[in-house]
Each structure stands twice: as structure tokens, then as C-alpha cells.
């Protein structure tokens, strides 16, 4: 698949993201472990045996034992997928770093066989909302303004719409919330770096931040969000997107006006007219 010329700068610096991922610590990949477990549970509910799966992920080691027959590829801008070659594609924990998420989904749809399944799992809009709020308030106090520090993440409604834009049938989007508690905000930030989820925004500040910013962030975070046990909660929101490549064998919506029974009859309730 060739890429069209870009009309605007990329949101993410993929080279920096790759460098962050190379420095990850395997013990910190608990979100990826949770995503794998969630995908396994969802596949158990699908009445289908998949013979040619593929997994798009930045960390193949998380998935290879659970899916030994799957083709595992990195989440590059152009995915190493051949058209119509897979009946299952799992896009795992990389879509929130994509400069063109719709393009990623379109590539997945084209690589699916007819009536093939896509399962995409990614970080959603309320992820790290506490840290985002604390950093914004602290930076305003210390620096007199804001800089890009945490990547924007889509809300579940908007992310579900991406499936429709990419041409998937029967699209579904839902959320798996997770709250993790930390002893302090620096521990959380170190954990994010160990996950390979450090700041890779193209417009991020390139110089070091003042120490006072992190001290102020800790104070604001603790003031607004600390638990009764004096721990700092951090929300991670996993959004799961499910869609099928179109097929004539799938259920189709009825045409408007084609119903054979009135709603009141189906519900067995009296029908009343609305006031004019």
C-alpha cells in the first residue's frame, strides 16, 4: 500500500516512539498483558475457528506464546499484510500512536478474507486524565503556559466511527477501565517510560523541564486525586474495537418501512397518539 503525500505534519514522531520502545522493560508491560488476556476472552465467545491470524503489535513477545501460529508484525505506517490473507487480525496496543488510524484500519480490512474479524485494542480518552490535569495546572503555574506532554486519545464513540469509515461491517466499540495506584507521580512517569509510552509527540518540548514542574505536578496530583491511603490513582482506559470484513452472508439491516408488525403489538402495550 502506498501512502498519499502528507498535507500536514505528523502528530507523532515515530522515530522517537521506536527509541522509547527499544528501552522498554518487560516487567512493565502489564497493559499489553491485560490486552492479550482481554482478546483471548473475547475470541472464546466467537463461534469460529481462525486458521490464519495476524497480530499487529510493538511487542511480539507478549503474544507469541498465546498465538504461536499467528503472523506477528510491527505497527509501522505501512503494515506488512497481503490482501485477503488473514481471517483474523488483532491490532494490539498501537493504534493510539498511529498518525493515520483510519489508514491502519483500512489496511487491516483489505488484508482480511471475506467475513474476517478485526479485534483492535488501544488506549482511550480517559487514559491518564489525572496526570494530564495535574501536569496542565502545574505547568501553567510554573511556566506560564502549556506544552504537548500527553498524547490525545480518542473517545469510544469517535473510535467506533473509525471502523465505519474504514468499511467494516457490524462495528462495535466498548471500554475496559483499569485504575492503578502509585506511591507518587514520578513513579507513574517512570512506569510509562518503562512501558515505552513516553512522550513522542512531534511538537513536544525538546529541552529539559524544570524540576519545579514535577514538584508542582506531585502537589497538584495529590491535592485533587489522592486516595484515603495517600496513593495516587492512574486511570487506563482500554478501548476494544470489533468489526468484520463485509460479506453477503452477514445479517443485514431491514429497509426503513419494511416492518411487518407495529412496535406496540410486539411489546403488547396499548398504542397512544402523541399530543400535537
Amino acid at each position: 500500500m502506498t501512502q498519499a503525500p502528507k498535507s500536514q505534519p505528523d502528530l507523532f514522531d515515530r522515530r522517537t516512539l521506536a527509541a522509547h520502545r527499544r528501552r522498554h522493560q518487560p516487567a512493565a508491560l502489564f497493559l499489553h498483558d491485560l490486552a492479550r488476556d482481554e482478546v483471548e476472552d473475547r475470541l472464546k465467545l466467537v463461534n469460529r475457528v481462525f486458521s490464519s491470524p495476524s497480530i499487529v503489535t510493538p511487542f511480539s513477545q507478549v503474544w507469541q506464546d498465546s498465538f504461536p501460529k499467528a503472523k506477528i508484525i510491527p505497527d509501522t505506517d505501512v503494515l506488512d499484510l497481503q490482501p485477503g490473507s488473514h481471517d483474523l487480525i488483532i491490532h494490539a496496543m498501537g493504534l493510539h500512536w498511529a498518525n493515520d488510524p483510519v489508514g491502519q484500519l483500512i489496511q487491516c480490512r483489505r488484508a482480511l478474507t471475506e467475513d474476517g474479524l478485526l479485534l483492535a485494542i488501544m488506549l482511550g480518552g480517559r487514559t491518564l486524565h489525572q496526570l494530564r490535569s495535574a501536569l496542565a495546572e502545574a505547568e501553567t503555574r510554573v511556566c506560564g503556559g502549556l506544552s504537548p506532554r500527553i498524547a490525545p486519545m480518542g473517545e469510544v464513540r469517535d473510535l467506533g466511527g473509525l471502523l465505519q469509515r474504514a468499511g467494516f461491517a457490524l462495528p462495535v466499540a466498548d471500554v475496559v477501565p483499569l485504575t492503578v495506584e502509585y506511591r507518587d507521580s514520578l513513579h507513574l512517569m517512570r512506569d510509562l517510560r518503562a512501558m515505552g509510552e513516553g512522550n513522542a509527540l512531534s511538537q513536544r518540548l525538546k529541552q529539559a523541564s524544570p524540576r519545579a514542574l514535577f514538584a508542582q505536578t506531585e502537589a497538584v496530583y495529590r491535592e485533587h486525586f489522592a486516595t484515603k491511603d495517600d496513593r495516587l490513582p492512574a486511570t487506563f482506559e482500554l478501548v476494544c474495537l470489533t468489526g468484520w470484513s463485509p460479506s453477503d452472508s452477514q445479517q443485514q439491516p431491514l429497509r426503513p418501512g419494511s416492518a411487518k408488525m407495529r412496535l406496540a403489538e410486539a411489546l403488547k402495550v396499548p398504542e397512544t397518539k402523541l399530543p400535537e
Side-chain angles (χ1 to χ4, degrees):
M1 175 180 178
T2 59
Q3 290 181 290
K6 294 178 180 178
S7 59
Q8 57 186 9
D10 287 335
L11 178 61
F12 301 114
D13 180 344
R14 297 286 300 185
R15 184 174 299 179
T16 297
L17 176 62
H20 289 170
R21 288 172 169 177
R22 285 194 297 270
R23 295 193 292 268
H24 81 278
Q25 298 174 15
L29 297 180
F30 64 88
L31 290 177
H32 292 261
D33 292 335
L34 177 64
R36 180 201 58 221
D37 295 343
E38 186 68 27
V39 166
E40 288 181 320
D41 288 343
R42 288 169 185 259
L43 288 177
K44 290 176 183 176
L45 301 176
V46 179
N47 187 24
R48 179 82 65 85
V49 176
F50 297 99
S51 60
S52 55
S54 181
I55 303 173
V56 182
T57 174
F59 299 113
S60 60
Q61 69 271 25
V62 174
W63 297 85
Q64 55 195 8
D65 289 342
S66 297
F67 296 86
K69 297 181 180 180
K71 176 182 180 180
I72 301 181
I73 64 170
D75 60 328
T76 50
D77 288 336
V78 179
L79 301 176
D80 183 19
L81 295 171
Q82 298 302 313
S85 56
H86 300 284
D87 55 5
L88 169 66
I89 295 178
I90 300 166
H91 202 305
M93 296 298 286
L95 204 55
H96 56 278
W97 285 116
N99 284 309
D100 182 11
V102 175
Q104 290 273 302
L105 294 175
I106 290 173
Q107 291 180 70
C108 291
R109 179 180 57 77
R110 289 175 176 171
L112 284 169
T113 57
E114 185 177 302
D115 201 30
L117 173 64
L118 169 77
L119 262 173
I121 193 159
M122 62 186 293
L123 293 177
R126 285 189 55 78
T127 295
L128 298 176
H129 72 88
Q130 302 96 334
L131 179 61
R132 195 188 308 270
S133 174
L135 271 171
E137 185 173 337
E139 192 168 24
T140 301
R141 292 180 185 178
V142 173
C143 304
L146 299 177
S147 62
R149 293 186 178 275
I150 299 179
M153 299 177 193
E155 299 295 335
V156 64
R157 285 186 182 179
D158 300 327
L159 295 173
L162 297 185
L163 290 170
Q164 293 177 310
R165 289 176 58 189
F168 281 95
L170 309 174
V172 176
D174 61 278
V175 173
V176 180
L178 173 69
T179 300
V180 183
E181 293 185 356
Y182 289 88
R183 61 174 179 266
D184 55 50
S185 57
L186 288 178
H187 184 204
L188 167 58
M189 294 180 199
R190 283 195 295 269
D191 226 11
L192 292 174
R193 286 194 293 271
M195 296 176 198
E197 297 283 339
N199 187 355
L201 288 163
S202 296
Q203 300 302 315
R204 70 193 184 282
L205 289 178
K206 303 304 192 291
Q207 69 267 27
S209 299
R211 288 188 177 181
L213 172 62
F214 299 107
Q216 187 67 40
T217 298
E218 172 70 14
V220 173
Y221 206 139
R222 199 163 293 281
E223 176 186 355
H224 293 303
F225 300 108
T227 67
K228 294 180 180 179
D229 298 328
D230 205 31
R231 305 277 289 179
L232 298 184
T235 295
F236 295 96
E237 185 179 75
L238 296 184
V239 176
C240 188
L241 306 178
T242 305
W244 297 82
S245 59
S247 170
D248 292 339
S249 64
Q250 293 165 348
Q251 290 183 336
Q252 303 295 324
L254 295 175
R255 298 189 311 276
S258 61
K260 298 285 194 289
M261 178 182 293
R262 303 180 71 83
L263 180 60
E265 295 178 44
L267 297 177
K268 298 182 179 180
V269 295
E271 184 174 8
T272 57
K273 292 185 178 180
L274 293 174
E276 297 182 0

